[in-house]
Amino acid sequence: MKIAIVGAGVIGMTSAVAIKNAFPEANVTVFADSFTPNTTGDGSAGLWGPYVLGDTSDENIVRWAGDTHKWMEQFWKSPLALEVGISLTPIFRFTNDPKGYSKPCWVPLVYGSQELSQDELKRINKEYKSSYTGGWQFLSYTCEPTKLLPWLMKTFKSQSGKIVRRKINTLDELKREKYNVIVNCSGLGARELAKDPQVTPVRGQVSRVNASWIFHTLLEDNDGGNYIITNLESVILGGTKQKNDFSLSIREEDSKFIHDGCTRMIPALKTSEILTEWVGLRPGRPQIRLEVEFENNKNSQDFAIIHNYGHGGSGVTLCWGCALNVVEILKNLNFTNYKSKL
């Protein structure tokens, strides 16, 4: 089987490794015009936690996020933890919704989840100068793409996988090169490659600071909320969630919003050195698209496209679960007529 994967972010590279794990003899090539450290994922904090997923079903979120959480747990327990950038961190999630915090479907997947009491919220609101109406605390992982992606690349190459730096303009290019299957992990690029106007950018701007004394993660779930996420060598302050915004320029007003909001919660951050500021475009979509399209032409070989894109702000959170789903589709692929849901 000759398989092409389009995209070298966390979705593309986990798909590549999972496919080679399942089909060691398959001829698998990853095509992309950008590789780590220049992918969208490289700028993210890598926090496990479903985010910007539109109307993706709870069933799929729990399935894909759960498989990825188990995968991260295996790394955390192994000598590879540092190399792949895995950390276990205490997390506090807050909301300003007048109705309080409804329990997310994925809470049973994390460790030690506990709803914050009214007394705890009162204390936190005073400390953070906030007005939270609800919140949860639990333990979960960060898996930093700046470390995970090089490891995935190295692993894929060790499995005899091929890496090609090339911009793919149409999927027909690869069809003409006699690939049996194309796995489309092109993220925001699926607007053009899959001719899918439902894929839209969700702009995110963050600051990375030197604050090694912070050991817990704070997240405000409400629209326009801030977050403080710990990484191994820095802390990420955020952030923005600006839909249908294609700008990759640092905006002073967003920098001020991030600084003011995060220092409101932790005033000591005012003196922290800013290491970098970064902007990325998350691939937003009403629902993640993970499905197969099939062509059967009497004059050519059978050909299928597996779409795996539209993960919003949850690429790291769902990557391995979605990769396993791609493998499942491949195992069941029998090249019978299939009607796309798009």
Side-chain angles (χ1 to χ4, degrees), residues 187-251:
L188 191 60
R191 284 174 59 86
E192 302 298 329
L193 279 179
K195 296 179 172 56
D196 185 354
Q198 294 187 80
V199 183
T200 56
V202 182
R203 180 181 178 274
Q205 179 172 322
V206 299
S207 298
R208 192 175 287 267
V209 301
N210 187 357
S212 58
W213 42 271
I214 294 180
F215 295 101
H216 59 285
T217 288
L218 305 174
L219 303 163
E220 295 180 329
D221 274 345
N222 47 291
D223 284 340
N226 292 97
Y227 53 80
I228 299 168
I229 302 174
T230 60
N231 271 184
L232 289 166
E233 298 168 358
S234 59
V235 173
I236 290 77
L237 310 182
T240 64
K241 188 173 66 174
Q242 297 153 334
K243 297 180 180 178
N244 213 24
D245 188 334
F246 285 87
S247 174
L248 288 170
S249 299
I250 301 295
R251 293 178 182 157

Coordinates of all heavy atoms in Angstrom, one line a residue, residues 187-251:
G187 N -5.0 20.7 8.1 CA -5.5 21.8 9.0 C -6.2 22.9 8.3 O -7.1 22.6 7.5
L188 N -5.8 24.1 8.5 CA -6.4 25.3 7.8 C -6.3 25.2 6.3 O -7.2 25.7 5.6 CB -5.8 26.6 8.3 CG -6.5 27.9 8.0 CD1 -7.9 27.9 8.5 CD2 -5.7 29.1 8.5
G189 N -5.3 24.5 5.8 CA -5.1 24.3 4.4 C -6.2 23.5 3.7 O -6.3 23.5 2.5
A190 N -7.0 22.8 4.5 CA -8.1 22.0 4.0 C -9.2 22.9 3.3 O -10.0 22.5 2.5 CB -8.8 21.2 5.0
R191 N -9.1 24.2 3.6 CA -10.0 25.2 2.9 C -9.8 25.1 1.4 O -10.8 25.1 0.7 CB -9.7 26.6 3.4 CG -10.3 27.0 4.7 CD -9.8 28.4 5.1 NE -10.2 29.4 4.2 CZ -11.4 30.1 4.2 NH1 -12.2 29.8 5.2 NH2 -11.6 31.0 3.4
E192 N -8.6 24.9 1.0 CA -8.3 24.8 -0.4 C -8.2 23.4 -0.9 O -8.7 23.0 -1.9 CB -7.0 25.6 -0.7 CG -7.0 27.0 -0.3 CD -8.0 27.8 -1.1 OE1 -8.3 27.5 -2.2 OE2 -8.6 28.8 -0.5
L193 N -7.4 22.6 -0.1 CA -7.1 21.2 -0.6 C -8.4 20.4 -0.6 O -8.6 19.5 -1.5 CB -6.1 20.5 0.4 CG -4.6 20.8 0.1 CD1 -3.8 20.1 1.1 CD2 -4.3 20.5 -1.3
A194 N -9.3 20.5 0.4 CA -10.5 19.8 0.4 C -11.7 20.6 -0.1 O -12.9 20.1 0.0 CB -10.8 19.2 1.8
K195 N -11.4 21.8 -0.5 CA -12.5 22.8 -0.9 C -13.6 22.8 0.1 O -14.8 22.7 -0.2 CB -13.0 22.4 -2.3 CG -11.9 22.5 -3.4 CD -12.5 22.1 -4.8 CE -11.5 22.4 -5.9 NZ -10.2 21.7 -5.7
D196 N -13.1 23.0 1.3 CA -14.1 23.0 2.5 C -14.2 24.4 3.1 O -13.3 24.8 4.0 CB -13.6 22.0 3.5 CG -14.5 21.8 4.7 OD1 -15.6 22.6 4.7 OD2 -14.3 20.9 5.5
P197 N -15.2 25.2 2.8 CA -15.3 26.5 3.3 C -15.7 26.5 4.8 O -15.6 27.6 5.4 CB -16.4 27.2 2.5 CG -17.2 26.0 2.0 CD -16.3 24.9 1.8
Q198 N -16.0 25.4 5.4 CA -16.4 25.3 6.8 C -15.1 25.5 7.7 O -15.3 25.7 8.9 CB -17.1 24.0 7.1 CG -18.4 23.9 6.4 CD -19.2 22.7 6.9 OE1 -19.8 22.7 8.0 NE2 -19.1 21.6 6.2
V199 N -13.9 25.3 7.1 CA -12.7 25.5 7.9 C -12.4 26.9 7.9 O -12.2 27.6 6.8 CB -11.5 24.7 7.2 CG1 -10.3 24.8 8.1 CG2 -11.9 23.2 7.0
T200 N -12.3 27.5 9.1 CA -12.0 28.9 9.2 C -10.9 29.1 10.3 O -10.8 28.3 11.2 CB -13.2 29.7 9.6 OG1 -13.8 29.2 10.8 CG2 -14.3 29.7 8.5
P201 N -10.1 30.2 10.2 CA -9.1 30.4 11.2 C -9.7 30.9 12.5 O -10.6 31.6 12.6 CB -8.2 31.4 10.6 CG -9.1 32.2 9.7 CD -10.1 31.2 9.1
V202 N -9.1 30.4 13.6 CA -9.4 31.0 15.0 C -8.0 31.5 15.5 O -7.2 30.7 15.9 CB -10.0 29.9 15.9 CG1 -10.3 30.6 17.2 CG2 -11.2 29.3 15.3
R203 N -7.8 32.8 15.4 CA -6.5 33.4 15.7 C -6.2 33.3 17.2 O -7.0 33.6 18.0 CB -6.5 34.8 15.2 CG -5.2 35.5 15.5 CD -5.3 37.0 15.0 NE -4.0 37.7 15.3 CZ -3.7 38.3 16.4 NH1 -4.6 38.3 17.4 NH2 -2.6 38.9 16.6
G204 N -5.0 32.9 17.5 CA -4.5 32.8 18.9 C -3.2 33.5 19.1 O -2.3 33.2 18.3
Q205 N -3.2 34.5 20.0 CA -1.9 35.2 20.3 C -1.6 34.9 21.7 O -2.4 34.9 22.6 CB -2.0 36.7 20.1 CG -0.8 37.5 20.5 CD -0.8 38.9 20.1 OE1 -1.4 39.3 19.1 NE2 -0.2 39.8 21.0
V206 N -0.3 34.6 22.0 CA 0.2 34.2 23.3 C 1.5 34.9 23.6 O 2.2 35.3 22.6 CB 0.4 32.7 23.5 CG1 -1.0 32.0 23.4 CG2 1.4 32.1 22.6
S207 N 1.9 35.0 24.8 CA 3.2 35.4 25.3 C 3.9 34.2 26.0 O 3.2 33.5 26.8 CB 3.2 36.6 26.2 OG 2.6 37.7 25.5
R208 N 5.2 34.1 25.8 CA 5.9 33.0 26.5 C 6.9 33.8 27.4 O 7.7 34.6 27.0 CB 6.7 32.1 25.5 CG 7.3 30.9 26.2 CD 7.9 30.0 25.1 NE 6.9 29.3 24.3 CZ 6.4 28.1 24.5 NH1 6.8 27.4 25.6 NH2 5.5 27.6 23.7
V209 N 6.8 33.5 28.8 CA 7.6 34.2 29.7 C 8.5 33.3 30.6 O 8.2 32.1 30.7 CB 6.7 35.0 30.7 CG1 5.9 36.0 29.8 CG2 5.8 34.2 31.5
N210 N 9.5 33.9 31.2 CA 10.3 33.1 32.1 C 9.7 33.3 33.5 O 9.8 34.3 34.1 CB 11.7 33.7 32.1 CG 12.7 32.9 32.9 OD1 12.4 31.9 33.5 ND2 14.0 33.3 32.9
A211 N 9.1 32.2 34.0 CA 8.4 32.2 35.3 C 8.5 30.8 35.9 O 7.5 30.1 36.1 CB 7.0 32.7 35.2
S212 N 9.7 30.3 36.1 CA 9.9 28.9 36.5 C 9.3 28.6 37.9 O 9.2 27.4 38.2 CB 11.4 28.6 36.5 OG 12.1 29.4 37.4
W213 N 8.9 29.6 38.6 CA 8.3 29.4 39.9 C 6.8 29.1 39.9 O 6.2 28.8 40.9 CB 8.5 30.7 40.8 CG 8.3 31.9 40.0 CD1 9.2 32.6 39.3 CD2 7.1 32.6 39.9 NE1 8.6 33.7 38.7 CE2 7.3 33.8 39.1 CE3 5.8 32.4 40.4 CZ2 6.3 34.7 38.8 CZ3 4.8 33.3 40.1 CH2 5.0 34.4 39.3
I214 N 6.2 29.1 38.7 CA 4.8 28.7 38.6 C 4.7 27.3 38.3 O 5.3 26.8 37.3 CB 4.1 29.6 37.5 CG1 4.1 31.0 37.9 CG2 2.7 29.1 37.2 CD1 3.4 31.9 36.9
F215 N 3.9 26.6 39.1 CA 3.8 25.1 38.9 C 2.3 24.6 38.7 O 2.1 23.4 38.7 CB 4.3 24.4 40.2 CG 5.8 24.6 40.4 CD1 6.2 25.5 41.3 CD2 6.7 23.9 39.7 CE1 7.6 25.7 41.5 CE2 8.1 24.1 39.8 CZ 8.5 25.0 40.8
H216 N 1.4 25.6 38.5 CA 0.0 25.1 38.2 C -0.5 26.0 37.0 O 0.0 27.0 36.7 CB -0.8 25.3 39.4 CG -0.9 26.7 40.0 ND1 0.1 27.3 40.7 CD2 -1.9 27.6 39.9 CE1 -0.2 28.5 41.0 NE2 -1.4 28.8 40.6
T217 N -1.6 25.4 36.4 CA -2.2 26.0 35.2 C -3.5 26.6 35.6 O -4.3 26.0 36.3 CB -2.3 25.0 34.1 OG1 -1.0 24.7 33.6 CG2 -3.2 25.4 33.0
L218 N -3.8 27.8 35.1 CA -5.1 28.5 35.4 C -5.7 28.8 34.0 O -5.1 29.3 33.1 CB -4.8 29.8 36.1 CG -4.0 29.8 37.4 CD1 -3.8 31.2 38.0 CD2 -4.8 28.9 38.5
L219 N -7.0 28.5 33.9 CA -7.7 28.7 32.7 C -9.1 29.3 33.0 O -9.9 28.8 33.8 CB -8.0 27.3 32.0 CG -6.8 26.5 31.6 CD1 -7.2 25.1 31.3 CD2 -6.1 27.0 30.4
E220 N -9.4 30.4 32.3 CA -10.7 31.0 32.3 C -11.5 30.6 31.1 O -11.1 31.0 30.0 CB -10.6 32.6 32.4 CG -9.9 33.0 33.7 CD -9.8 34.6 33.7 OE1 -9.7 35.2 32.7 OE2 -9.8 35.1 34.9
D221 N -12.5 29.8 31.3 CA -13.2 29.2 30.1 C -14.2 30.2 29.4 O -14.6 29.9 28.3 CB -14.0 28.0 30.6 CG -13.2 26.7 30.6 OD1 -12.1 26.7 30.0 OD2 -13.6 25.7 31.2
N222 N -14.5 31.3 30.1 CA -15.4 32.2 29.4 C -14.8 32.9 28.2 O -13.6 33.0 28.1 CB -15.9 33.2 30.5 CG -14.7 33.8 31.2 OD1 -14.1 33.2 32.0 ND2 -14.4 35.1 31.0
D223 N -15.6 33.3 27.3 CA -15.1 34.1 26.1 C -14.4 35.3 26.6 O -14.8 36.0 27.5 CB -16.3 34.5 25.2 CG -16.8 33.3 24.4 OD1 -16.1 32.3 24.2 OD2 -17.9 33.4 23.9
G224 N -13.2 35.5 26.0 CA -12.4 36.7 26.4 C -11.6 36.4 27.7 O -11.1 37.4 28.3
G225 N -11.5 35.2 28.1 CA -10.8 34.8 29.3 C -9.3 34.7 29.1 O -8.9 34.5 27.9
N226 N -8.5 34.7 30.1 CA -7.1 34.5 30.0 C -6.7 33.1 30.5 O -7.5 32.4 31.1 CB -6.4 35.5 30.9 CG -6.5 36.9 30.4 OD1 -7.4 37.7 30.9 ND2 -5.7 37.3 29.4
Y227 N -5.4 32.8 30.3 CA -4.9 31.5 30.8 C -3.4 31.6 31.0 O -2.7 32.4 30.4 CB -5.2 30.3 29.9 CG -4.8 30.4 28.4 CD1 -3.5 30.2 28.0 CD2 -5.8 30.7 27.5 CE1 -3.1 30.3 26.7 CE2 -5.4 30.8 26.1 CZ -4.1 30.6 25.7 OH -3.8 30.7 24.4
I228 N -3.0 30.8 32.0 CA -1.6 30.7 32.4 C -1.2 29.2 32.4 O -1.8 28.5 33.2 CB -1.3 31.3 33.7 CG1 -1.7 32.8 33.7 CG2 0.1 31.1 34.2 CD1 -1.7 33.4 35.1
I229 N -0.3 28.8 31.5 CA -0.1 27.3 31.3 C 1.4 27.1 31.5 O 2.3 27.7 30.8 CB -0.5 26.8 29.9 CG1 -2.0 27.1 29.7 CG2 -0.2 25.4 29.7 CD1 -2.5 26.8 28.3
T230 N 1.8 26.2 32.4 CA 3.2 25.9 32.6 C 3.7 24.9 31.5 O 3.0 24.0 31.1 CB 3.3 25.2 34.0 OG1 2.6 24.0 34.0 CG2 2.8 26.1 35.1
N231 N 4.9 25.2 31.2 CA 5.7 24.3 30.3 C 7.0 24.0 31.1 O 7.3 24.5 32.1 CB 6.0 24.9 29.0 CG 4.9 24.6 27.9 OD1 5.1 25.0 26.8 ND2 3.8 23.9 28.3
L232 N 7.8 23.1 30.5 CA 9.0 22.6 31.1 C 10.0 23.8 31.4 O 10.7 23.9 32.4 CB 9.7 21.5 30.3 CG 9.0 20.2 30.3 CD1 9.6 19.3 29.2 CD2 9.1 19.5 31.6
E233 N 10.2 24.7 30.4 CA 11.2 25.7 30.5 C 10.6 27.1 30.4 O 11.4 28.1 30.4 CB 12.2 25.5 29.3 CG 12.9 24.2 29.4 CD 13.7 23.9 28.1 OE1 13.6 24.7 27.2 OE2 14.3 22.8 28.1
S234 N 9.3 27.3 30.4 CA 8.7 28.6 30.3 C 7.2 28.5 30.7 O 6.7 27.4 31.0 CB 8.8 29.2 28.9 OG 8.2 28.4 28.0
V235 N 6.6 29.6 30.7 CA 5.1 29.7 31.0 C 4.4 30.4 29.9 O 4.9 31.5 29.4 CB 4.9 30.3 32.4 CG1 3.4 30.5 32.6 CG2 5.5 29.5 33.5
I236 N 3.3 29.9 29.4 CA 2.6 30.5 28.3 C 1.4 31.3 28.9 O 0.6 30.8 29.7 CB 2.1 29.5 27.3 CG1 3.2 28.9 26.5 CG2 1.1 30.1 26.3 CD1 4.0 27.9 27.2
L237 N 1.3 32.6 28.5 CA 0.3 33.5 28.9 C -0.6 33.8 27.7 O -0.1 34.1 26.6 CB 0.8 34.8 29.4 CG 1.9 34.8 30.5 CD1 2.3 36.2 30.9 CD2 1.5 33.9 31.7
G238 N -1.9 33.6 27.9 CA -2.8 33.8 26.8 C -4.1 34.5 27.2 O -4.3 34.8 28.4
G239 N -5.0 34.5 26.3 CA -4.7 34.3 24.9 C -6.0 34.9 24.2 O -6.9 35.4 24.8
T240 N -6.0 34.7 22.9 CA -7.1 35.2 22.1 C -7.8 34.0 21.4 O -7.1 33.0 21.1 CB -6.7 36.3 21.1 OG1 -5.8 35.7 20.1 CG2 -6.0 37.4 21.8
K241 N -9.0 34.2 21.0 CA -9.8 33.2 20.3 C -10.6 34.0 19.3 O -11.8 34.2 19.4 CB -10.7 32.4 21.2 CG -11.4 31.2 20.6 CD -12.1 30.4 21.6 CE -13.3 31.1 22.3 NZ -14.0 30.2 23.2
Q242 N -10.0 34.5 18.3 CA -10.6 35.5 17.3 C -10.9 34.7 16.0 O -10.1 34.3 15.2 CB -9.6 36.6 17.0 CG -9.4 37.4 18.3 CD -8.0 38.1 18.3 OE1 -7.1 37.7 17.6 NE2 -7.9 39.2 19.0
K243 N -12.2 34.5 15.8 CA -12.7 33.7 14.7 C -12.6 34.4 13.4 O -12.9 35.6 13.3 CB -14.1 33.2 15.0 CG -14.2 32.3 16.2 CD -15.7 31.9 16.5 CE -15.7 31.0 17.7 NZ -17.1 30.6 18.0
N244 N -12.3 33.7 12.4 CA -12.2 34.2 11.0 C -11.3 35.3 10.8 O -11.5 36.2 10.0 CB -13.6 34.6 10.5 CG -13.8 34.3 9.0 OD1 -13.1 33.5 8.4 ND2 -14.7 35.0 8.4
D245 N -10.2 35.3 11.6 CA -9.2 36.3 11.6 C -7.9 35.7 11.1 O -7.3 34.8 11.7 CB -9.0 36.9 13.0 CG -8.1 38.1 13.0 OD1 -7.2 38.2 12.1 OD2 -8.2 38.9 13.9
F246 N -7.4 36.2 9.9 CA -6.2 35.6 9.3 C -4.9 36.2 9.6 O -3.8 35.8 9.2 CB -6.4 35.6 7.7 CG -7.3 34.6 7.2 CD1 -8.7 34.9 7.1 CD2 -6.9 33.4 6.7 CE1 -9.6 34.0 6.6 CE2 -7.8 32.4 6.2 CZ -9.1 32.8 6.1
S247 N -4.9 37.3 10.5 CA -3.7 38.0 10.7 C -2.7 37.3 11.6 O -3.1 36.7 12.7 CB -4.1 39.3 11.5 OG -2.9 40.0 11.8
L248 N -1.5 37.2 11.2 CA -0.4 36.6 11.9 C 0.5 37.6 12.6 O 1.6 37.3 13.1 CB 0.4 35.7 11.0 CG -0.2 34.4 10.5 CD1 0.6 33.7 9.4 CD2 -0.4 33.5 11.7
S249 N 0.1 38.9 12.6 CA 0.9 40.0 13.2 C 0.6 40.1 14.7 O -0.5 39.9 15.1 CB 0.6 41.3 12.5 OG 0.9 41.3 11.1
I250 N 1.7 40.4 15.5 CA 1.5 40.6 16.9 C 0.7 42.0 17.1 O 1.1 42.9 16.4 CB 2.8 40.7 17.6 CG1 3.6 39.4 17.5 CG2 2.6 41.1 19.1 CD1 3.0 38.2 18.1
R251 N -0.3 41.9 17.9 CA -1.1 43.2 18.1 C -0.9 43.7 19.5 O -1.0 42.9 20.5 CB -2.6 42.9 17.9 CG -3.0 42.5 16.4 CD -4.4 42.2 16.3 NE -4.8 41.8 15.0 CZ -5.9 41.1 14.7 NH1 -6.7 40.7 15.6 NH2 -6.1 40.8 13.4

